[in-house]
């Protein structure tokens, strides 16, 4: 078993052709391109997928290897997971050779193997460089080929950076150095994820509103904060994929994802000094301004160095807890307090602010100026409300979101007759103070 730590880039053809030249800046060993074929296996009821596992057999030359990848963590384009590799003499599944401990208790391996069949495959040429960067050794692999399921295919044009030894911070720093060449974007979807989509007929993915953040039980404020930033980044990358696939409406969701990140900085601003995130916030602010233009092109923006560097900076900040060096002992004590308790307090403050904002409205035309503030606060609520009964949360949100819609669509009738009713929506949280 190994812990795989890697960053995936999707590359334009021009960027891929520039990669060998870029890598001459560091000591490295080069390996010529090798043809790889991977066959991924699954049961008819997607049992491995439900366990968050991926199982494949890889063929390279006259050799074969069975690999099981288990559930891991993914932030931005940084992927960390356990990987088990078993050499094979023939390309035949032999899951009994994997450690028994990797399977859920009570798994019948014979029955499971009998149900496993090929689901999709990947075919690509892999060219490799082993680079020495500062105190770390990083394998750079360029893959070009395709994912295939039945008659459906999707191109592979990826650069993977895998940390072989050294430090995660240096892997991220090396990724930032390569980002400056342009023509790259973070790959949030693995080859396997794309293969599963093809196997399902490659259905179009839809825009998704910001979900209610579900922090782990008894999370600290610091853990809740990390989850909030990770959620904003995930929303950004999900809708970036949609925008690139031709869904022009996804651009609005990207803008909202950046606004979600802004609200997260505001929510936790009293606990994390501004200097801890000044460079990151500046990168995001520049990108927000760029996204306000009317003539944006997905390919141009998503593969721009500024966009990639902003995502990498955010990934780095989340994954390495980039605020830690700036937090005082007193602030650290507060960060380790209950996120649920923090959410109670902040939700109470948000509700009081909304009531104060809309209770003073005396004329229908005053609503329009309040819309940005309302939208910002509703995003913040979604970052705080995960510990509560969903029906109660959505019941509270629905009234305020209906108000936002009425303001946006200039629904004067609704505003005149029901605009103030939302102020009487009962709270779903517990009030308190720090």
């Amino acid at each position: 078993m190994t812990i795989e730590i890697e960053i995936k880039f999707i590359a334009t053809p021009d960027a891929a052709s520039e990669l060998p030249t870029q890598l001459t800046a560091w000591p490295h060993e080069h390996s010529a391109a090798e043809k790889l074929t991977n066959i991924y296996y699954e049961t008819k009821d997607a049992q491995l997928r439900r366990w968050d596992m991926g199982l494949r057999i890889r063929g390279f030359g006259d050799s074969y290897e069975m690999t099981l990848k288990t559930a891991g963590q993914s932030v931005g384009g940084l992927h960390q997971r356990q990987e088990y590799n078993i050499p094979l003499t023939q390309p035949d599944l032999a899951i009994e050779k994997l450690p028994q401990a990797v399977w859920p208790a009570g798994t019948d391996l014979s029955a499971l193997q009998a149900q496993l069949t090929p689901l999709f495959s990947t075919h690509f040429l892999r060219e490799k460089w082993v680079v020495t960067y500062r105190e770390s050794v990083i394998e750079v692999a360029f893959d070009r080929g395709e994912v295939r399921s039945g008659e459906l295919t999707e191109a592979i044009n990826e650069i993977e950076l895998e940390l072989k030894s050294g430090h995660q911070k240096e892997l991220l720093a090396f990724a930032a150095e390569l980002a400056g060449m342009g023509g790259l974007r973070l790959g949030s979807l693995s080859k396997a994820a794309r293969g599963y989509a093809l196997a399902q007929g490659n259905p179009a993915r839809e825009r998704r509103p910001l979900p209610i953040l579900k922090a782990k039980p008894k999370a600290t404020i610091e853990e809740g904060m990390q989850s909030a930033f990770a959620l904003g980044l995930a929303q950004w990358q999900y809708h970036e994929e949609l925008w690139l696939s031709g869904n022009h409406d996804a651009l609005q969701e990207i803008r909202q994802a950046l606004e979600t990140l802004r609200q997260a900085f505001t929510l936790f601003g009293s606990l994390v000094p501004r200097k801890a995130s000044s460079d990151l916030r500046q990168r995001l602010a520049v990108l927000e301004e760029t996204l306000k233009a009317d003539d944006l092109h997905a390919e141009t923006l998503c593969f721009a160095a500024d966009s990639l560097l902003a995502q990498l900076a955010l990934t780095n900040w989340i994954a390495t807890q980039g605020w830690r060096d700036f937090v005082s002992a007193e602030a650290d004590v507060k960060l380790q307090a209950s996120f649920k308790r923090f959410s109670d307090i902040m939700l109470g403050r948000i509700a009081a602010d909304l009531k104060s904002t809309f209770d003073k409205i005396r004329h229908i035309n005053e609503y329009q100026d309040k819309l940005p503030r309302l939208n910002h606060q509703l995003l913040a609520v979604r970052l705080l409300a995960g510990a509560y009964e969903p029906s109660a949360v959505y019941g509270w949100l629905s009234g305020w979101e209906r108000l936002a819609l009425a303001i946006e669509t200039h629904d004067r009738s609704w505003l005149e007759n029901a605009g103030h009713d939302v102020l009487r929506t009962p709270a779903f949280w517990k009030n308190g103070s720090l």
Side-chain angles (χ1 to χ4, degrees):
M1 188 270 288
T2 60
I3 301 294
E4 182 184 57
I5 303 176
E6 64 182 16
I7 292 175
K8 296 179 182 290
F9 290 134
I10 307 299
T12 64
D14 287 346
S17 67
E18 282 293 315
L19 181 63
T21 302
Q22 295 290 326
L23 294 177
T24 59
W26 302 280
H28 66 274
E29 296 181 5
H30 174 253
S31 298
E34 181 179 32
K35 184 177 181 179
L36 300 180
T37 296
N38 300 285
I39 300 175
Y40 289 77
Y41 292 81
E42 184 55 280
T43 65
K44 288 185 178 180
D45 61 353
Q47 181 62 75
L48 296 184
R49 191 69 166 166
R50 295 202 305 275
W51 287 338
D52 204 4
M53 291 179 171
L55 179 66
R56 75 180 184 212
I57 290 180
R58 167 170 289 177
F60 44 100
D62 295 326
S63 301
Y64 303 95
E65 183 178 70
M66 179 176 64
T67 297
L68 179 72
K69 295 188 179 185
T70 62
Q73 297 179 341
S74 180
V75 177
L78 177 67
H79 306 268
Q80 301 178 68
R81 59 197 164 193
Q82 292 180 332
E83 180 178 284
Y84 299 84
N85 297 298
I86 306 294
L88 299 174
T89 56
Q90 298 293 328
D92 300 318
L93 278 182
I95 63 173
E96 74 280 359
K97 294 184 178 181
L98 290 160
Q100 182 67 39
V102 307
W103 305 107
T107 300
D108 184 333
L109 293 185
S110 296
L112 177 61
Q113 173 140 336
Q115 297 174 52
L116 290 166
T117 57
L119 183 65
F120 61 89
S121 58
T122 62
H123 311 265
F124 54 91
L125 290 174
R126 167 166 287 183
E127 189 174 2
K128 294 194 298 188
W129 297 260
V130 178
V131 177
T132 301
Y133 180 77
R134 300 179 185 173
E135 298 179 359
S136 298
V137 176
I138 298 167
E139 181 183 273
V140 181
F142 172 50
D143 298 339
R144 57 189 184 277
E146 66 177 13
V147 185
R148 182 187 305 159
S149 180
E151 298 298 317
L152 297 177
T153 63
E154 184 172 324
I156 295 172
N157 213 32
E158 296 180 351
I159 296 171
E160 295 184 359
L161 314 181
E162 183 176 351
L163 184 65
K164 291 299 187 181
S165 65
H167 311 286
Q168 181 176 287
K169 284 186 176 181
E170 293 184 352
L171 174 66
L172 287 159
F174 179 66
E177 298 237 30
L178 288 184
M181 65 190 275
L184 303 175
R185 66 179 181 88
L186 284 177
S188 56
L189 294 177
S190 66
K191 296 182 184 71
R194 284 180 278 168
Y196 273 102
L198 290 178
Q200 295 168 4
N202 205 22
R205 296 197 297 166
E206 302 295 330
R207 291 168 60 185
R208 63 184 187 195
L210 182 73
I212 304 297
L213 171 65
K214 293 289 186 181
K216 71 177 187 180
K218 298 184 179 180
T220 65
I221 296 175
E222 183 171 42
E223 290 169 331
M225 179 178 71
Q226 278 183 283
S227 296
F229 283 108
L231 178 60
L233 178 56
Q235 281 290 104
W236 179 1
Q237 292 189 308
Y238 176 88
H239 290 99
E240 183 178 89
E241 293 278 356
L242 261 63
W243 191 28
L244 284 163
S245 69
N247 187 330
H248 301 293
D249 292 336
L251 176 57
Q252 181 56 36
E253 300 295 341
I254 296 174
R255 291 170 176 148
Q256 189 180 75
L258 291 173
E259 182 56 45
T260 300
L261 294 170
R262 182 189 290 273
Q263 292 310 305
F265 282 117
T266 299
L267 278 175
F268 302 100
S270 64
L271 301 173
V272 175
R274 287 181 62 83
K275 61 184 177 182
S277 59
S278 57
D279 178 67
L280 172 57
R281 285 184 288 104
Q282 178 60 29
R283 289 185 183 277
L284 294 173
V286 169
L287 197 57
E288 280 186 291
E289 285 300 312
T290 302
L291 286 169
K292 290 179 180 178
D294 295 326
D295 57 345
L296 295 172
H297 299 283
E299 288 284 339
T300 301
L301 185 67
C302 295
F303 283 95
D306 285 347
S307 178
L308 174 55
L309 285 168
Q311 287 192 5
L312 278 172
L314 180 56
T315 299
N316 193 352
W317 202 72
I318 298 168
T320 67
Q321 297 183 312
W323 56 87
R324 278 265 125 218
D325 291 340
F326 300 87
V327 173
S328 66
E330 180 182 359
D332 188 39
V333 171
K334 292 182 178 179
L335 280 171
Q336 304 317 310
S338 165
F339 179 57
K340 169 66 165 55
R341 178 66 170 164
F342 174 82
S343 297
D344 287 339
I345 296 164
M346 299 306 294
L347 286 165
R349 292 177 182 175
I350 289 170
D353 176 75
L354 290 176
K355 183 175 181 180
S356 173
T357 299
F358 288 95
D359 198 31
K360 298 176 182 178
I361 289 181
R362 298 294 178 264
H363 192 277
I364 195 77
N365 293 332
E366 296 177 45
Y367 277 106
Q368 201 64 39
D369 292 339
K370 311 298 183 184
L371 181 59
R373 188 180 193 90
L374 174 57
N375 285 333
H376 297 166
Q377 295 289 40
L378 293 181
L379 289 176
V381 169
R382 288 177 174 270
L383 297 178
L384 295 166
Y388 305 92
E389 176 60 38
S391 61
V393 176
Y394 285 109
W396 187 91
L397 278 172
S398 63
W400 288 102
E401 290 174 345
R402 180 65 183 88
L403 174 61
L405 178 63
I407 297 172
E408 186 177 347
T409 59
H410 303 282
D411 187 345
R412 296 178 65 90
S413 176
W414 192 93
L415 292 172
E416 288 172 348
N417 295 298
H420 280 79
D421 290 349
V422 72
L423 298 175
R424 294 190 287 273
T425 305
F428 60 83
W429 60 90
K430 295 179 180 179
N431 292 305
S433 59
L434 283 171

